[in-house]
Amino acid sequence: MDIAIVSAHELTPDTPAIARELGRGHRVTVYTRSMVQGDGVEHVPAGPDVELSESDLLPYISDFSDGLRRRWREHRPDIIHAYSWSSGLAAIAGSEGLGVPVTQTFHSHYDDNRSAAPVRRLECAIGRRARAVIAACADEESELIRMGVPRRNISVVPHGVDIERFRRQGPAFPRGERPRLLHVGHVGADWAVHALRAVPEAELVIAGGDDQSVERLRALAGEHGVADRVEMLGMVPHTAMPKLMRSADLVLSLPPNVPTGTAALEAMACGIPVIASAAGAHLDSVVDGVTGFLTRPDRPLEIAHRIRRLLGDTTLRTAIGYAAADRARSRYSVERISMELLRVYEKTCA
């Protein structure tokens, strides 16, 4: 099978690994406007060579779709898989008249901007136009049905984790004597800072965020009197995340909207217990009390209680870590996710 993956916005963390796994038995090409290097990746110029939000990409979608059309007329794929609504627009336009089925994943579907009326209308139109829509979790499947996407066209395939890179054994970044909490991403990190007040023995490391969000969180830590126990790392390369996660006792992931739950999956694969917001993809991946804890992100005292319970019970923390790694390996490995995607592609092409 000749598979075209389209990502106009940015590649999700598992996309290169998924493409490599699919490429073991099929021809896979990733088409992207970003300057990503790698086998099977084709750069399609469209707009400035800088990272843009999906809304800022809109004026350049026609250039991107024109580039796709030229390539696909020379070499027609069997199936197209578009990631994000901007990619879906380009894929549908670029494949016009070729008779190639388009599958769609809205990996940013739960972002805070999703309620903007124009984007919402575009998502609805793309969802109904695509031959198949792939939801990352049951919560997203329900949302797609409310958007008017026919249930028969929806398949639930979660995002995967590269279990060769994210694993229990491996090097870790150095750390001090304090128990280390790690929050991945700046969204939801406010609640981790709030909870830290009730865990006086621990330190909190926050990975992610631009300069503005880093300064805001640093100011919040000062207001709560925990600035000396909060370390702001800003943007961390994804290649460094396994070492960072293995340096932590617990990983927190507390955003209110969870389209993919990638951070929690990667921590689980590293054997690190997770305290995650009870939302979106976390509801599928984190088994409460077994592979981590689910909680309302706006309840810092409850979060602190979970943290203290895990930090105070080494046996429980170890057991949850092993269970988390086993679940990540058995359910969310890129090998299994690739097989599930391939079944969707085969069904769509039939």
Side-chain angles (χ1 to χ4, degrees):
M1 184 176 289
D2 193 314
I3 302 165
I5 295 176
V6 180
S7 184
H9 183 216
E10 59 182 347
L11 300 183
T12 59
D14 64 338
T15 301
I18 293 287
R20 286 195 303 271
E21 190 64 35
L22 288 170
R24 295 181 188 275
H26 305 273
R27 185 180 188 275
V28 181
T29 306
V30 178
Y31 298 91
T32 178
R33 60 172 296 278
S34 63
M35 299 296 290
V36 177
Q37 303 296 321
D39 295 336
V41 178
E42 281 203 29
H43 172 61
V44 181
D49 289 332
V50 296
E51 186 175 323
L52 299 173
S53 69
E54 284 204 270
S55 296
D56 291 338
L57 270 176
L58 201 53
Y60 310 110
I61 291 298
S62 61
D63 293 337
F64 190 66
S65 63
D66 288 344
L68 294 175
R69 185 181 300 109
R70 287 193 296 270
R71 285 162 172 79
W72 291 341
R73 281 179 176 171
E74 293 178 2
H75 190 98
R76 178 185 178 278
D78 297 311
I79 187 96
I80 298 167
H81 186 174
Y83 283 79
S84 81
W85 63 262
S86 57
S87 303
L89 280 178
I92 290 170
S95 63
E96 188 70 31
L98 296 179
V100 180
V102 175
T103 63
Q104 175 69 42
T105 293
F106 293 109
H107 74 253
S108 59
H109 188 69
Y110 289 117
D111 284 356
D112 291 337
N113 291 330
R114 73 190 189 284
S115 60
V119 172
R120 183 70 168 188
R121 287 195 293 270
L122 285 172
E123 288 180 335
C124 291
I126 294 166
R128 289 192 289 265
R129 169 65 174 76
R131 188 79 62 84
V133 179
I134 298 173
C137 60
D139 203 30
E140 184 178 10
E141 180 185 29
S142 299
E143 178 69 12
L144 289 168
I145 292 170
R146 287 193 292 270
M147 288 170 55
V149 178
R151 186 188 297 268
R152 65 180 180 277
N153 291 353
I154 303 173
S155 297
V156 178
V157 180
H159 283 248
V161 59
D162 187 345
I163 58 174
E164 298 305 316
R165 294 182 56 226
F166 291 88
R167 61 186 191 276
R168 294 184 63 255
Q169 297 81 18
F173 284 138
R175 48 171 285 180
E177 295 297 321
R178 284 175 170 160
R180 171 171 286 186
L181 313 175
L182 170 65
H183 191 282
V184 180
H186 69 282
V187 179
D190 307 56
W191 301 113
V193 173
H194 282 279
L196 191 64
R197 297 176 61 187
V199 193
E201 72 277 17
E203 67 176 9
L204 173 64
V205 176
I206 300 175
D210 55 20
D211 292 343
Q212 184 177 358
S213 60
V214 165
E215 288 305 314
R216 180 182 61 79
L217 288 167
R218 187 173 285 125
L220 181 65
E223 293 172 10
H224 287 290
V226 297
D228 61 325
R229 294 188 289 122
V230 175
E231 182 178 1
M232 302 293 305
L233 299 182
M235 296 302 297
V236 175
H238 193 246
T239 53
M241 288 307 299
K243 290 183 179 180
L244 181 59
M245 287 182 168
R246 284 191 290 261
S247 77
D249 295 288
L250 303 175
V251 168
L252 311 179
S253 183
L254 302 171
N257 301 306
V258 187
T260 64
T262 300
L265 283 176
E266 292 173 346
M268 288 167 57
C270 290
I272 309 300
V274 173
I275 298 176
S277 51
H282 288 163
L283 296 173
D284 290 3
S285 60
V286 180
V287 182
D288 192 33
V290 178
T291 66
F293 285 113
L294 293 171
T295 182
R296 284 267 301 272
D298 57 350
R299 293 184 178 176
L301 291 180
E302 180 179 317
I303 296 168
H305 172 72
R306 301 292 197 190
I307 293 171
R308 290 196 303 269
R309 180 181 175 190
L310 284 167
L311 292 181
D313 191 334
T314 303
T315 301
L316 176 63
R317 195 166 69 248
T318 301
I320 285 180
Y322 274 102
D326 182 68
R327 178 163 174 75
R329 179 172 292 273
S330 63
R331 176 64 189 96
Y332 295 97
S333 70
V334 292
E335 181 179 7
R336 174 165 177 175
I337 301 307
S338 298
M339 290 174 59
E340 294 183 18
L341 284 174
L342 191 59
R343 284 196 289 269
V344 175
Y345 298 159
E346 290 171 344
K347 178 182 175 182
T348 304
C349 290

